[in-house]
Amino acid sequence: MAKIFVLSCVKDLSKISKFYAILYLISQYPLSQCDKTVLTPNDISTRPITIASYGPDVARAKKYVYLSGAAYCFDIPAWTCPYCEKSHRFGYEFHSLIVNKEANTLAFIAVNKKLKEIVVTIRGTLNVANVVLDIHPSILSIETGSSPLERGKSKGPEIRIHTGMINATNSLYPEIVQKLGKVLKENEDFEVVVIGHSLGAAAAALTLFLLKEEIRLPADFPVPKSYAYFGYGTPRVGNQAYADYWNGQPMQITRVINKADFAAYTPPSLGGYVHHGNELWLSPTGEEKVCSKTVYEDPNCANSVASMSNLPDHLQYWDVAYLSCAGADPFSTAGQFVIPVV
């Protein structure tokens, strides 16, 4: 098996730099917002349990951020990278690695026996192949393809999602199902937490969507105690029907945005994309602000600094610098731009 550099992609590197500039300009447009509804005490008491009932979980977000950082490090199974060691202090042990060489995507599973947690972490953008997924221009129905979502055909409006993000998800999903099913059988009554940063946060949300809807799951796939989601620098994944789906889920969902992280404003809302609720905003003043849980995109939180959107805020969440492992190992990083050819 030989290796070649993706010269066709290298030719387009100038286009990629222009893409980031375009992202900045797009982020200046007004973002979609929803009107607040005044609720009576009776309305509140009879409302169903949803993600708004839980609210963002700051403590858990600060814990899982190290696992999201570990996904960018090399030789994860050794469990010796700086963020691996910090995760180990919280009781998380490496279980299995999931890699798609063609799409150059990666995920891993860690287990915490004491807390009865299984965490699936999906890596974000680290190479040209990932950028190609990021900038895919189209949005498609979740019902398209070989595995239609039956609930969407009979309930509510059509759920539409970003094509590149579902492609990234599908590149890892079959193996995630296989290995997650195995670890669930070994650890009954455990919670499954799906997390990620950047493109990985989007893929994590879509992976959880597929798991909850039991899409392409074997008949004997174990049912976990519960599911949860934590995303760092999550881009907009789908349309309002998609956001409505998550806003109605009775589970812990925390979407963390650091300051003016540009990814939070992409793809542009003008394309029909919208975030779901439960935003935890790390404001420029250092405040960890739990934002409105009933508005899709709270204008008083990350949207208040949309005009200052930038890349540095995307690469640093608390004390996790997502490209620190890449910088410490330039040889392995260069290998991310090489693909195997049979």
Side-chain angles (χ1 to χ4, degrees):
M1 181 178 289
K3 291 186 175 181
I4 63 169
F5 282 91
V6 190
L7 295 177
S8 61
C9 290
V10 172
K11 291 178 181 178
D12 291 333
L13 287 179
S14 62
K15 295 182 180 178
I16 294 172
S17 62
K18 292 178 181 177
F19 160 71
Y20 282 113
I22 293 171
L23 285 181
Y24 176 81
L25 293 174
I26 289 174
S27 69
Q28 314 306 307
Y29 286 96
L31 303 176
S32 61
Q33 300 169 6
C34 297
D35 293 333
K36 296 183 179 180
T37 302
V38 178
L39 299 175
T40 67
N42 182 65
D43 291 333
I44 295 172
S45 65
T46 57
R47 291 182 72 188
I49 297 174
T50 64
I51 64 169
S53 307
Y54 289 78
D57 191 321
V58 181
R60 292 178 74 181
K62 287 184 174 181
K63 178 178 62 173
Y64 298 134
V65 71
Y66 296 117
L67 288 168
S68 72
Y72 287 88
C73 295
F74 305 107
D75 194 15
I76 298 172
W79 212 232
T80 56
C81 72
Y83 302 133
C84 302
E85 291 180 347
K86 289 190 176 183
S87 298
H88 177 71
R89 294 172 195 167
F90 285 105
Y92 294 95
E93 299 293 345
F94 173 82
H95 182 274
S96 51
L97 190 69
I98 299 105
V99 177
N100 185 304
K101 293 183 179 180
E102 182 178 355
N104 212 337
T105 49
L106 176 147
F108 72 90
I109 297 175
V111 179
N112 190 315
K113 297 278 189 178
K114 184 177 180 180
L115 298 178
K116 291 190 173 184
E117 290 180 357
I118 301 167
V119 183
V120 179
T121 304
I122 303 179
R123 188 187 68 194
T125 302
L126 188 61
N127 49 65
V128 170
N130 298 161
V131 172
V132 171
L133 293 171
D134 286 330
I135 64 177
H136 201 293
S138 67
I139 183 170
L140 54 75
S141 170
I142 191 70
E143 297 176 36
T144 61
S146 60
S147 299
L149 178 62
E150 294 298 331
R151 69 167 294 280
K153 293 184 176 181
S154 58
K155 297 181 180 179
E158 182 182 48
I159 292 177
R160 296 178 66 81
I161 55 174
H162 186 275
T163 303
M165 294 173 192
I166 192 60
N167 287 344
T169 303
N170 286 333
S171 71
L172 297 168
Y173 184 67
E175 191 173 352
I176 286 177
V177 168
Q178 176 189 356
K179 293 185 175 178
L180 177 59
K182 181 179 179 180
V183 70
L184 270 171
K185 290 177 181 178
E186 298 169 351
N187 301 277
E188 296 181 358
D189 198 34
F190 274 42
E191 179 181 31
V192 171
V193 186
V194 190
I195 72 169
H197 166 260
S198 188
L199 176 63
L206 289 169
T207 296
L208 185 52
F209 180 92
L210 297 175
L211 289 171
K212 282 187 61 59
E213 291 297 323
E214 300 181 347
I215 298 176
R216 302 198 299 274
L217 294 185
D220 62 344
F221 189 84
V223 178
K225 179 181 179 181
S226 59
Y227 282 112
Y229 168 81
F230 286 79
Y232 304 87
T234 310
R236 297 187 181 104
V237 178
N239 64 352
Q240 185 170 323
Y242 173 80
D244 287 341
Y245 171 88
W246 284 120
N247 285 342
Q249 295 301 311
M251 61 184 291
Q252 172 54 239
I253 295 179
T254 298
R255 182 171 52 82
V256 189
I257 299 176
N258 181 46
K259 301 176 185 175
D261 181 347
F262 84 94
Y265 317 110
T266 59
S269 58
L270 294 178
Y273 295 94
V274 63
H275 279 304
H276 56 69
N278 272 10
E279 175 186 328
L280 172 62
W281 184 42
L282 312 181
S283 75
T285 62
E287 178 186 6
E288 294 166 355
K289 187 174 181 180
V290 175
C291 304
S292 173
K293 295 172 286 187
T294 57
V295 176
Y296 293 100
E297 299 190 13
D298 193 332
N300 299 311
C301 287
N303 281 355
S304 66
V305 293
S307 62
M308 298 182 287
S309 62
N310 63 78
L311 181 61
D313 288 344
H314 183 61
L315 300 178
Q316 180 87 34
Y317 274 66
W318 286 298
D319 58 338
V320 171
Y322 284 103
L323 296 185
S324 59
C325 286
D329 191 348
F331 181 79
S332 295
T333 301
Q336 291 295 316
F337 296 87
V338 178
I339 62 172
V341 176
V342 178

